[in-house]
Amino acid sequence: MAKYRMLRDLLARDGCFRFESAPFADPATIELAHDAAYVRDFLNGALPEAAIRRIGFPWSEALVKRTLASVGGTLGATCDAFDSGWGGNLAGGTHHAFRAEGSGFCVFNDIAVAIQWLRSKARIERAAVIDLDVHQGDGTAQLFEAEPDVLTLSMHAKSNFPFRKQRSTIDIELEDGTHDQEYLSALDAALPRVFDFEPEIVFYQSGVDPLASDTLGRLALTHVGLTERDHRVMTAAHAHRVPIVISLGGGYSRPIELTAEAHANTFRTASEIFS
Ligand SMILES: [Zn+2]
């Protein structure tokens, strides 16, 4: 949890970002992507013990507020993306959340909620998710598996969590120890397929757990490689004039400062490309 504060402090020091507190997402909006009973039981602290265990955090009022703000932050960033080309949430990217259950530190799937919210308001028809967290975006993949208007790309470590993978529109599985060059080549091959789909908005789950120092990652990327990755994703969105919403995703380096620095680089790259 320490990385969130560190990241905000790093970006505040840069002096080129405007921060806003994330509003709490409305439960009715969350229910556009999630089962209503699951949403209600989580908010009321009534989920069964096994369901809480699968999420991985103990339930508390503070967790409820944090979770609602995390989804609200992505919704706010989505509005910013339509206004200025990009928006960012210094949280979110909770891609292991399914329709009626959470897992892997994810309660609600902020990206899926944002996409369903835009579609419910007829703001868009087609959306794409570029999920470069080292773990497969299994919740997002399953939530949109039967939806031809939402393309999901997940590029992840093959041998890593989740051990039962779901089917994204495009899955790219990487071997343990994958380095910058192989990683970037795989990304270069995948990105044109995303933009050929002609999405009206792209959600970028920019997890930095492919970093070599990550304790849950298994890949071997450097900070330079990750920044290059972010640069390629954002340059492609910019060139195609597709708004992009950046959410944080995972990062568990030891020491955690390495993760905070990598997340900060993602937002610095965005600021450079979009300003
Ligand atoms: Zn992850």
Side-chain angles (χ1 to χ4, degrees), residues 3 7 10-11 14 16-17 86-91 130 132-133 183 203-211 221-235 244-251 258-275:
K3 74 175 186 179
L7 170 61
L10 282 172
L11 295 180
D14 286 357
C16 53
F17 297 94
W86 81 285
N89 182 6
L90 302 187
I130 299 176
L132 301 187
D133 191 282
Y183 186 96
F203 287 83
Y204 178 31
Q205 206 276 22
S206 64
V208 297
D209 41 15
L211 206 58
L221 268 68
T222 66
H223 280 89
V224 172
L226 272 183
T227 299
E228 183 56 37
R229 171 195 83 164
D230 294 339
H231 200 272
R232 290 183 192 190
V233 170
M234 294 179 211
T235 305
I244 185 167
V245 182
I246 302 168
S247 58
L248 222 54
L258 295 172
T259 285
E261 188 63 27
H263 282 309
N265 288 340
T266 301
F267 291 91
R268 290 167 181 149
T269 301
S271 160
E272 182 191 309
I273 291 173
F274 293 96
S275 63

Side-chain angles (χ1 to χ4, degrees), residues 14-270:
D14 286 357
C16 53
F17 297 94
R18 201 185 70 223
F19 299 94
E20 286 174 40
S21 353
F24 291 145
D26 178 1
T29 305
I30 295 172
E31 287 172 21
L32 295 170
H34 289 281
D35 177 71
Y38 168 61
V39 174
R40 189 187 57 227
D41 286 350
F42 172 74
L43 297 179
N44 296 332
L47 282 182
E49 193 49 46
I52 289 289
R53 240 191 339 263
R54 195 167 175 214
I55 289 168
F57 292 128
W59 186 89
S60 66
E61 291 286 353
L63 178 66
V64 170
K65 285 187 181 160
R66 189 182 193 291
T67 300
L68 293 176
S70 178
V71 177
T74 292
L75 295 173
T78 301
C79 297
D80 290 346
F82 279 114
D83 290 344
S84 69
W86 81 285
N89 182 6
L90 302 187
T94 43
H95 59 169
H96 300 307
F98 292 82
R99 182 165 189 85
E101 63 182 329
S103 86
F105 310 125
C106 300
V107 180
F108 299 138
N109 194 310
D110 56 310
I111 292 173
V113 171
I115 291 173
Q116 299 300 34
W117 178 65
L118 289 172
R119 299 205 306 174
S120 74
K121 295 191 166 313
R123 285 289 300 268
I124 59 156
E125 287 177 4
R126 298 155 74 77
V129 181
I130 299 176
D131 186 333
L132 301 187
D133 191 282
V134 82
H135 305 101
Q136 192 204 30
D138 55 346
T140 317
Q142 195 185 74
L143 278 158
F144 293 115
E145 193 177 13
E147 303 250 17
D149 287 334
V150 180
L151 178 145
T152 54
L153 162 68
S154 179
M155 192 157 109
H156 50 265
K158 182 180 178 180
S159 67
N160 213 328
F161 177 91
F163 302 108
R164 218 182 89 209
K165 305 282 192 289
Q166 301 295 327
R167 200 166 55 206
S168 314
T169 315
I170 306 169
D171 280 302
I172 299 167
E173 303 206 299
L174 303 168
E175 299 298 332
D176 287 4
T178 295
H179 290 95
D180 291 349
Q181 280 320 316
E182 300 159 78
Y183 186 96
L184 293 170
S185 303
L187 179 64
D188 284 345
L191 281 180
R193 294 176 63 189
V194 174
F195 289 94
D196 285 350
F197 178 75
E198 300 185 346
E200 291 149 273
I201 188 164
V202 163
F203 287 83
Y204 178 31
Q205 206 276 22
S206 64
V208 297
D209 41 15
L211 206 58
S213 54
D214 201 276
T215 56
L216 302 179
R218 295 177 184 261
L219 302 190
L221 268 68
T222 66
H223 280 89
V224 172
L226 272 183
T227 299
E228 183 56 37
R229 171 195 83 164
D230 294 339
H231 200 272
R232 290 183 192 190
V233 170
M234 294 179 211
T235 305
H238 188 62
H240 289 87
R241 298 173 177 279
V242 181
I244 185 167
V245 182
I246 302 168
S247 58
L248 222 54
Y252 316 90
S253 282
R254 200 168 290 140
I256 195 67
E257 283 78 2
L258 295 172
T259 285
E261 188 63 27
H263 282 309
N265 288 340
T266 301
F267 291 91
R268 290 167 181 149
T269 301

